Short mmCIF file of all heavy atoms in Angstrom, two decimals:
data_model
loop_
_atom_site.label_atom_id
_atom_site.label_comp_id
_atom_site.label_asym_id
_atom_site.label_seq_id
_atom_site.Cartn_x
_atom_site.Cartn_y
_atom_site.Cartn_z
N PRO A 213 61.09 39.02 -3.98
CA PRO A 213 61.10 39.00 -5.46
C PRO A 213 62.15 39.91 -6.07
O PRO A 213 62.59 39.67 -7.20
CB PRO A 213 59.68 39.46 -5.81
CG PRO A 213 58.85 39.12 -4.63
CD PRO A 213 59.75 39.34 -3.46
N LEU A 214 62.58 40.94 -5.35
CA LEU A 214 63.56 41.87 -5.89
C LEU A 214 64.88 41.18 -6.20
O LEU A 214 65.56 41.52 -7.18
CB LEU A 214 63.78 43.03 -4.92
CG LEU A 214 64.68 44.18 -5.39
CD1 LEU A 214 64.06 44.87 -6.60
CD2 LEU A 214 64.91 45.18 -4.26
N VAL A 215 65.26 40.20 -5.38
CA VAL A 215 66.54 39.51 -5.57
C VAL A 215 66.37 38.10 -6.13
O VAL A 215 67.35 37.51 -6.58
CB VAL A 215 67.33 39.45 -4.25
CG1 VAL A 215 67.63 40.83 -3.74
CG2 VAL A 215 66.57 38.65 -3.19
N LEU A 216 65.15 37.56 -6.10
CA LEU A 216 64.95 36.17 -6.53
C LEU A 216 64.31 36.06 -7.91
O LEU A 216 64.31 34.98 -8.50
CB LEU A 216 64.07 35.43 -5.52
CG LEU A 216 64.67 35.25 -4.13
CD1 LEU A 216 63.64 34.62 -3.19
CD2 LEU A 216 65.91 34.37 -4.18
N SER A 217 63.75 37.16 -8.43
CA SER A 217 63.07 37.09 -9.72
C SER A 217 63.99 37.58 -10.83
O SER A 217 65.06 38.14 -10.58
CB SER A 217 61.79 37.94 -9.68
OG SER A 217 62.12 39.31 -9.51
N ASN A 218 63.54 37.37 -12.06
CA ASN A 218 64.22 37.95 -13.22
C ASN A 218 63.21 38.78 -14.00
O ASN A 218 62.11 39.05 -13.52
CB ASN A 218 64.86 36.86 -14.09
CG ASN A 218 63.85 35.80 -14.52
OD1 ASN A 218 62.65 36.05 -14.59
ND2 ASN A 218 64.34 34.60 -14.81
N ARG A 219 63.56 39.17 -15.20
CA ARG A 219 62.68 40.05 -15.98
C ARG A 219 61.34 39.36 -16.29
O ARG A 219 60.29 40.02 -16.32
CB ARG A 219 63.36 40.46 -17.28
CG ARG A 219 62.57 41.44 -18.13
CD ARG A 219 63.36 41.84 -19.35
NE ARG A 219 64.53 42.60 -18.97
CZ ARG A 219 64.54 43.92 -18.78
NH1 ARG A 219 63.43 44.62 -18.91
NH2 ARG A 219 65.66 44.54 -18.44
N GLU A 220 61.34 38.05 -16.49
CA GLU A 220 60.12 37.34 -16.85
C GLU A 220 59.24 37.04 -15.64
O GLU A 220 58.02 36.90 -15.77
CB GLU A 220 60.44 36.03 -17.58
CG GLU A 220 60.97 36.20 -19.00
CD GLU A 220 62.40 36.71 -19.01
OE1 GLU A 220 63.12 36.48 -18.02
OE2 GLU A 220 62.78 37.36 -20.01
N THR A 221 59.83 36.89 -14.45
CA THR A 221 59.05 36.48 -13.27
C THR A 221 58.90 37.60 -12.24
O THR A 221 58.41 37.35 -11.14
CB THR A 221 59.72 35.27 -12.59
OG1 THR A 221 61.07 35.63 -12.21
CG2 THR A 221 59.76 34.08 -13.52
N ALA A 222 59.30 38.83 -12.58
CA ALA A 222 59.20 39.95 -11.63
C ALA A 222 57.74 40.21 -11.28
O ALA A 222 56.85 40.13 -12.13
CB ALA A 222 59.83 41.19 -12.22
N THR A 223 57.49 40.52 -10.03
CA THR A 223 56.14 40.80 -9.57
C THR A 223 55.83 42.29 -9.69
O THR A 223 56.71 43.10 -9.97
CB THR A 223 55.96 40.34 -8.12
OG1 THR A 223 56.91 41.02 -7.29
CG2 THR A 223 56.17 38.84 -7.99
N LEU A 224 54.57 42.64 -9.43
CA LEU A 224 54.14 44.03 -9.61
C LEU A 224 54.85 44.99 -8.65
O LEU A 224 55.21 46.09 -9.07
CB LEU A 224 52.62 44.12 -9.44
CG LEU A 224 51.99 45.47 -9.83
CD1 LEU A 224 52.35 45.85 -11.25
CD2 LEU A 224 50.48 45.40 -9.66
N PRO A 225 55.05 44.66 -7.36
CA PRO A 225 55.81 45.58 -6.51
C PRO A 225 57.22 45.85 -7.03
O PRO A 225 57.71 46.98 -6.93
CB PRO A 225 55.85 44.86 -5.15
CG PRO A 225 54.63 44.02 -5.14
CD PRO A 225 54.47 43.55 -6.55
N VAL A 226 57.86 44.83 -7.60
CA VAL A 226 59.19 45.04 -8.17
C VAL A 226 59.10 45.95 -9.40
O VAL A 226 59.93 46.85 -9.58
CB VAL A 226 59.83 43.69 -8.55
CG1 VAL A 226 61.16 43.90 -9.26
CG2 VAL A 226 60.03 42.83 -7.31
N GLY A 227 58.08 45.74 -10.22
CA GLY A 227 57.90 46.60 -11.38
C GLY A 227 57.63 48.04 -11.00
O GLY A 227 58.07 48.97 -11.69
N THR A 228 56.92 48.24 -9.90
CA THR A 228 56.66 49.60 -9.44
C THR A 228 57.94 50.29 -8.99
O THR A 228 58.13 51.49 -9.23
CB THR A 228 55.64 49.58 -8.28
OG1 THR A 228 54.47 48.86 -8.70
CG2 THR A 228 55.24 50.97 -7.87
N LEU A 229 58.84 49.54 -8.36
CA LEU A 229 60.10 50.13 -7.90
C LEU A 229 60.96 50.61 -9.06
O LEU A 229 61.77 51.51 -8.88
CB LEU A 229 60.87 49.10 -7.08
CG LEU A 229 60.30 48.74 -5.69
CD1 LEU A 229 61.11 47.62 -5.06
CD2 LEU A 229 60.29 49.96 -4.79
N ARG A 230 60.79 50.02 -10.22
CA ARG A 230 61.62 50.39 -11.37
C ARG A 230 61.28 51.77 -11.91
O ARG A 230 62.00 52.30 -12.76
CB ARG A 230 61.48 49.34 -12.47
CG ARG A 230 62.14 48.01 -12.09
CD ARG A 230 61.88 46.93 -13.11
NE ARG A 230 62.53 45.67 -12.70
CZ ARG A 230 62.32 44.50 -13.29
NH1 ARG A 230 61.47 44.43 -14.31
NH2 ARG A 230 62.93 43.42 -12.87
N TYR A 231 60.17 52.34 -11.48
CA TYR A 231 59.82 53.69 -11.92
C TYR A 231 60.56 54.76 -11.11
O TYR A 231 60.41 55.94 -11.40
CB TYR A 231 58.32 53.90 -11.82
CG TYR A 231 57.53 53.10 -12.83
CD1 TYR A 231 56.49 52.28 -12.43
CD2 TYR A 231 57.84 53.17 -14.18
CE1 TYR A 231 55.77 51.54 -13.36
CE2 TYR A 231 57.13 52.44 -15.12
CZ TYR A 231 56.10 51.62 -14.69
OH TYR A 231 55.39 50.90 -15.62
N PHE A 232 61.31 54.34 -10.09
CA PHE A 232 62.18 55.26 -9.37
C PHE A 232 63.56 55.20 -10.04
O PHE A 232 64.30 54.23 -9.86
CB PHE A 232 62.31 54.87 -7.89
CG PHE A 232 61.04 55.04 -7.11
CD1 PHE A 232 60.10 54.02 -7.06
CD2 PHE A 232 60.78 56.22 -6.42
CE1 PHE A 232 58.92 54.17 -6.34
CE2 PHE A 232 59.61 56.37 -5.70
CZ PHE A 232 58.68 55.34 -5.66
N GLY A 233 63.89 56.17 -10.82
CA GLY A 233 65.15 56.15 -11.55
C GLY A 233 66.01 57.36 -11.28
O GLY A 233 65.59 58.32 -10.62
N THR A 234 67.23 57.30 -11.79
CA THR A 234 68.15 58.43 -11.60
C THR A 234 67.70 59.66 -12.36
O THR A 234 68.03 60.79 -12.00
CB THR A 234 69.56 58.03 -12.06
OG1 THR A 234 69.50 57.57 -13.42
CG2 THR A 234 70.11 56.91 -11.19
N ALA A 235 66.91 59.45 -13.43
CA ALA A 235 66.44 60.59 -14.22
C ALA A 235 65.21 61.26 -13.60
O ALA A 235 64.81 62.33 -14.05
CB ALA A 235 66.11 60.13 -15.64
N GLY A 236 64.65 60.62 -12.59
CA GLY A 236 63.47 61.19 -11.94
C GLY A 236 62.49 60.11 -11.56
O GLY A 236 62.71 58.91 -11.79
N VAL A 237 61.40 60.53 -10.95
CA VAL A 237 60.36 59.62 -10.49
C VAL A 237 59.12 59.85 -11.34
O VAL A 237 58.60 60.97 -11.38
CB VAL A 237 60.04 59.83 -9.00
CG1 VAL A 237 58.96 58.86 -8.55
CG2 VAL A 237 61.30 59.65 -8.15
N THR A 238 58.65 58.83 -12.02
CA THR A 238 57.45 58.94 -12.85
C THR A 238 56.23 58.61 -11.99
O THR A 238 55.80 57.46 -11.93
CB THR A 238 57.55 57.99 -14.06
OG1 THR A 238 57.90 56.68 -13.59
CG2 THR A 238 58.61 58.47 -15.03
N TRP A 239 55.71 59.63 -11.35
CA TRP A 239 54.64 59.42 -10.38
C TRP A 239 53.37 58.87 -11.00
O TRP A 239 52.64 58.10 -10.37
CB TRP A 239 54.35 60.74 -9.66
CG TRP A 239 55.46 61.18 -8.77
CD1 TRP A 239 56.35 62.18 -8.97
CD2 TRP A 239 55.81 60.58 -7.51
NE1 TRP A 239 57.23 62.26 -7.92
CE2 TRP A 239 56.93 61.30 -7.01
CE3 TRP A 239 55.30 59.52 -6.76
CZ2 TRP A 239 57.52 60.98 -5.80
CZ3 TRP A 239 55.90 59.20 -5.54
CH2 TRP A 239 56.99 59.93 -5.09
#
Side-chain angles (χ1 to χ4, degrees):
L214 186 63
V215 299
L216 295 174
S217 65
N218 55 25
R219 184 177 294 273
E220 288 73 26
T221 59
T223 59
L224 190 55
V226 175
T228 306
L229 290 175
R230 290 174 180 169
Y231 290 127
F232 293 87
T234 55
V237 180
T238 50
W239 291 106

